[in-house]
Amino acid sequence: MCGIVGAVAQRDVAEILVEGLKRLEYRGYDSAGVAIVDSASNLTRIRRLGKVQELADTVDSAHVVGGTGIAHTRWATHGEPSEINAHPHVSGDISVVHNGIIENHEQLRDTLTERGYQFVSQTDTEVIAHLVEWELRSAPSLLVAVQSAVKQLEGAYGTVVMDRNDPSRLVVARSGSPIVIGFGVGENFLASDQLALLNVTRRFMYLEEGDVAEVTRRDVTVFNSLGEHVERKITESKLEHDAADKGNYRHYMQKEVFEQPTALINTMEGRITADSVITDAIGVKAAYILAKTEHIQIVACGTSYNAGMIARYWFEAIAGISCDVEIASEFRYRKFVTRPNSLLITLSQSGETADTLAALRLAKEKGYMAAMTICNVAGSSLVRESDFAFMTRAGVEVGVASTKAFTTQLISLLMLVTALGKERGTIDKVREQEIVSAMHALPNQIEQALSFEKEIEALAEDFADKHHTLFLGRGEFYPVAMEASLKLKEISYIHAEAYAAGELKHGPLALIDADMPVVVVAPSNDLLEKLKSNIEEVRARGGLLYVFADEEAGFEADDTMKIITMPHVSDITAPIYYTVPMQLLSYYVALIKGTDVDQPRNLAKSVTVE
Ligand code: M6R
């Protein structure tokens, strides 16, 4: 989704701003722009449709000078992707970049038009520029003008405002879209994501909801929504400077798939012993809250939702506790009943997904006992606003298609399930040892699964010219199939559906013909015989079967059925293990199709608008 970078420095900041935008490219965007003021109040604004590199080339050849600037990558919400709609937007001396959506932009547009402002873009953002320009006519400072302007905005914003007449400062406001301030020596920066600034600083301060801050070279002054001067914590980032590098891999997604064994080890480190899960590692308040928990409500979007769907099987079957899972965009608008002693768990890679965040805020009002988040980004909104957070340690995930975030969410959920089962007395010592030993074995098993890369690459040829694919599974492998279908459709643009295999005969069987590949996740477990009957239903109708199974499942390949036989792993961790070949399959199909694997069309990494 959109990205923001800003800087107030003594040196020229064009390169820093453009580098920051490049570091945010993974979030998805359609256009990019920059506005820079020099000490003599000359403003240069450059905007380009398409890749940041085009903007970079133009900025470079224009030799843009100036120590104060703002930059933006836009992902269109209001108005088509075009240069005219790209940020920064300008009104008189005011330049503005903005993430989020201004919901009352139409009313504001009417009011501002009556005041004589002419709108040149179709964006909601342009109202902010005119509104600040209007307020500054009577306000004593840019800060006060922005404070007055944001009071009139409804919706979500992370916005930065620059006045060409005063290049010594930027004013930034946050409500619903994250803003982080980066501290340099004699220079300060800001961005929508700290990743943008890791080449210039490691010291960061996150603004809170409703904050407005004035950033100069030497000072950062923060005011809360009541206009009171407040202090916000400054933290040192632990992210690696080169966390966003691709290394020798062709795509970030490929790199991130192969990072999974390490990401799993990191996520488990210090949280499990040789034979037990350390409950305290779940969170300081965890033991107390888990002991009182009678119901789990998981809320998430996309891949994170699929992780929740797998965990539901674990919560009920392993810990013996009821669990519901809901898509955040549905949950937040549904009149739901809060069950007694219900623990809300949000799952999110980014911690900034607008619908998930809104669901968390709603749940707090609706009497949930406590809110926990399982999240990959420290300092993100979900982490800050939840009662306690359990961090996945996947490292930075750049590819839009979530991979290592998903498997680390799953291992985190499994640790939580085990801790909860121990608290409730549904997991005894022997069972705990069995679960923990499966967890310890998993990273090596994932390495083995990755070694099927060549076989899966060859298989991908069969899919690349198809228009549809079905994924089937039963039990916890049904959501594994859901995740596999999401991966395939988002990066290869092949229409894919997942079904619980037992549901086939209730409709989808009608789709089966020789042009319909059907991928089945079929490890040997207590549902295998049922699944085999479903496979026969497909085979009898001439479907093309691709079965991912283990040696013990006893499948034999023939003209209609290709088998990928993988080593057998524990039933407990098998959903995580079988996810890996599915990720590789979608990756190689996309590679053959030549799509933009890391930044699929129309998609954004972090969905900060609803
Ligand atoms: O950051 P989150 O986990 O909250 O994001 C939720 C979804 O937008 C995300 O999982 C999305 O579905 C992925 N791109 C899928 O690969």
Side-chain angles (χ1 to χ4, degrees):
M1 208 117 289
C2 308
I4 287 177
V5 191
V8 194
Q10 210 163 24
R11 53 177 164 158
D12 290 335
V13 292
E15 208 177 307
I16 295 171
L17 296 179
V18 170
E19 169 64 19
L21 291 187
K22 284 185 179 163
R23 289 169 162 263
L24 296 181
E25 278 192 292
Y26 75 96
R27 294 162 66 101
Y29 67 100
D30 47 60
S31 51
V34 64
I36 293 175
V37 189
D38 67 16
S39 52
S41 289
N42 297 306
L43 175 80
T44 310
R45 175 173 61 153
I46 299 173
R47 297 175 292 172
R48 286 289 174 273
L49 188 62
K51 295 283 178 190
V52 171
Q53 191 53 49
E54 290 192 29
L55 177 76
D57 294 343
T58 318
V59 168
D60 206 31
S61 51
H63 302 294
V64 181
V65 295
T68 301
I70 53 179
H72 190 262
T73 43
R74 173 173 186 256
W75 187 81
T77 57
H78 295 68
E80 59 177 10
S82 69
E83 207 166 294
I84 209 90
N85 285 333
H87 304 206
H89 288 282
V90 170
S91 177
D93 295 325
I94 297 299
S95 304
V96 167
V97 290
H98 161 232
N99 286 358
I101 289 178
I102 304 303
E103 287 175 342
N104 60 337
H105 72 103
E106 278 175 4
Q107 296 98 292
L108 290 170
R109 193 176 259 259
D110 292 345
T111 311
L112 290 159
T113 306
E114 278 168 25
R115 289 176 186 162
Y117 288 98
Q118 286 188 343
F119 282 80
V120 292
S121 78
Q122 300 142 347
T123 65
D124 51 339
T125 302
E126 199 180 346
V127 299
I128 306 178
H130 294 316
L131 207 50
V132 174
E133 204 280 339
W134 172 262
E135 291 297 335
L136 192 57
R137 292 181 188 191
S138 55
S141 66
L142 182 64
L143 173 71
V144 175
V146 173
Q147 282 173 319
S148 309
V150 296
K151 282 198 187 107
Q152 300 164 59
L153 302 178
E154 288 168 22
Y157 54 83
T159 186
V160 190
V161 182
M162 181 170 74
D163 177 1
R164 70 186 288 177
N165 289 321
D166 183 4
S168 66
R169 71 200 66 232
L170 293 173
V171 175
V172 54
R174 178 217 154 119
S175 179
S177 290
I179 292 285
V180 63
I181 294 174
F183 291 80
V185 179
E187 54 187 13
N188 286 317
F189 308 93
L190 46 90
S192 49
D193 181 333
Q194 57 169 263
L195 203 56
L197 302 176
L198 283 175
N199 57 330
V200 284
T201 183
R202 309 185 68 92
R203 293 177 63 229
F204 293 106
M205 171 203 278
Y206 279 92
L207 293 190
E208 296 193 1
E209 284 298 278
D211 283 354
V212 178
E214 185 177 67
V215 180
T216 68
R217 277 179 48 218
R218 305 237 170 255
D219 296 304
V220 174
T221 321
V222 185
F223 300 88
N224 65 14
S225 56
L226 302 172
E228 298 160 341
H229 180 226
V230 285
E231 298 293 335
R232 302 287 180 223
K233 211 168 108 198
I234 300 175
T235 51
E236 192 87 14
S237 174
K238 291 193 181 64
L239 284 179
E240 296 297 325
H241 171 66
D242 62 353
D245 285 351
K246 252 192 301 228
N248 292 328
Y249 292 93
R250 193 158 164 189
H251 292 99
Y252 284 109
M253 179 184 173
Q254 187 190 25
K255 172 178 176 250
E256 287 155 8
V257 165
F258 278 82
E259 280 173 348
Q260 289 178 112
T262 310
L264 289 166
I265 290 168
N266 290 343
T267 303
M268 290 186 281
E269 193 194 315
R271 291 162 164 175
I272 57 175
T273 67
D275 57 7
S276 69
V277 169
I278 304 167
T279 306
D280 279 356
I282 306 287
V284 190
K285 300 183 203 159
Y288 171 72
I289 289 169
L290 296 187
K292 290 204 311 183
T293 302
E294 287 170 22
H295 177 68
I296 301 285
Q297 173 70 60
I298 295 177
V299 181
C301 302
T303 288
S304 295
Y305 168 77
N306 293 338
M309 287 291 288
I310 292 173
R312 183 169 69 112
Y313 288 85
W314 289 337
F315 277 114
E316 302 216 344
I318 301 179
I321 188 163
S322 61
C323 174
D324 290 320
V325 189
E326 192 156 352
I327 293 167
S329 55
E330 288 297 312
F331 180 83
R332 66 179 288 193
Y333 290 116
R334 191 166 69 76
K335 291 192 173 49
F336 56 81
V337 176
T338 307
R339 299 224 216 158
N341 293 325
S342 190
L343 173 66
L344 180 93
I345 304 177
T346 56
L347 304 176
S348 177
Q349 188 289 128
S350 63
E352 301 294 350
T353 301
D355 284 320
T356 312
L357 197 51
L360 164 68
R361 291 174 183 159
L362 179 67
K364 283 178 160 182
E365 287 167 19
K366 298 282 182 184
Y368 274 84
M369 183 184 67
M372 170 186 189
T373 190
I374 296 180
C375 187
N376 196 42
V377 178
S380 62
S381 302
L382 278 175
V383 169
R384 283 180 292 116
E385 294 187 30
S386 300
D387 296 314
F388 63 106
F390 187 88
M391 301 311 300
T392 49
R393 298 175 189 149
V396 176
E397 191 181 67
V398 174
V400 165
S402 191
T403 52
K404 60 179 181 171
F406 178 71
T407 46
T408 54
Q409 278 171 349
L410 286 174
I411 204 74
S412 303
L413 284 158
L414 193 51
M415 285 188 267
L416 177 65
V417 165
T418 313
L420 193 59
K422 283 202 299 183
E423 278 305 320
R424 296 170 59 79
T426 46
I427 294 180
D428 62 15
K429 194 66 213 158
V430 175
R431 181 69 166 146
E432 183 179 11
Q433 280 170 354
E434 189 193 353
I435 298 169
V436 173
S437 122
M439 288 183 190
H440 280 300
L442 187 63
N444 277 339
Q445 291 165 341
I446 300 267
E447 290 284 4
Q448 281 182 337
L450 289 167
S451 70
F452 282 81
E453 187 185 18
K454 287 281 157 242
E455 209 172 317
I456 293 168
E457 185 179 0
L459 207 66
E461 299 282 351
D462 291 10
F463 291 76
D465 63 342
K466 299 291 186 296
H467 297 294
H468 311 276
T469 298
L470 276 187
F471 287 86
L472 302 179
R474 292 192 80 129
E476 61 269 52
F477 296 93
Y478 165 45
V480 170
M482 287 163 61
E483 173 56 11
S485 102
L486 175 59
K487 281 291 89 82
L488 186 71
K489 76 180 87 160
E490 78 177 315
I491 62 167
S492 75
Y493 314 153
I494 292 175
H495 170 232
E497 295 286 344
Y499 275 95
E503 189 65 10
L504 261 189
K505 58 176 84 64
H506 300 289
L509 210 49
L511 293 170
I512 304 297
D513 62 18
D515 281 330
M516 175 66 92
V518 180
V519 179
V520 192
V521 191
S524 54
N525 62 18
D526 52 8
L527 283 171
L528 181 63
E529 290 312 312
K530 302 275 176 210
L531 188 59
K532 282 185 173 171
S533 306
N534 304 134
I535 289 172
E536 287 312 315
E537 291 163 9
V538 174
R539 204 211 281 265
R541 275 120 192 131
L544 305 167
L545 282 153
Y546 300 86
V547 179
F548 288 75
D550 57 39
E551 312 100 338
E552 294 170 25
F555 286 103
E556 278 182 28
D558 60 25
D559 288 352
T560 59
M561 182 154 78
K562 290 192 179 169
I563 314 289
I564 293 80
T565 307
M566 300 173 51
H568 178 76
V569 302
S570 159
D571 283 358
I572 300 162
T573 46
I576 310 178
Y577 176 72
Y578 277 91
T579 294
V580 175
M582 298 294 130
Q583 295 167 340
L584 289 172
L585 180 64
S586 59
Y587 174 73
Y588 279 106
V589 174
L591 208 62
I592 296 166
K593 292 200 71 182
T595 57
D596 190 344
V597 171
D598 286 329
Q599 290 170 34
R601 67 185 180 202
N602 308 336
L603 298 182
K605 180 67 183 163
S606 181
V607 184
T608 51
V609 293
E610 78 166 292

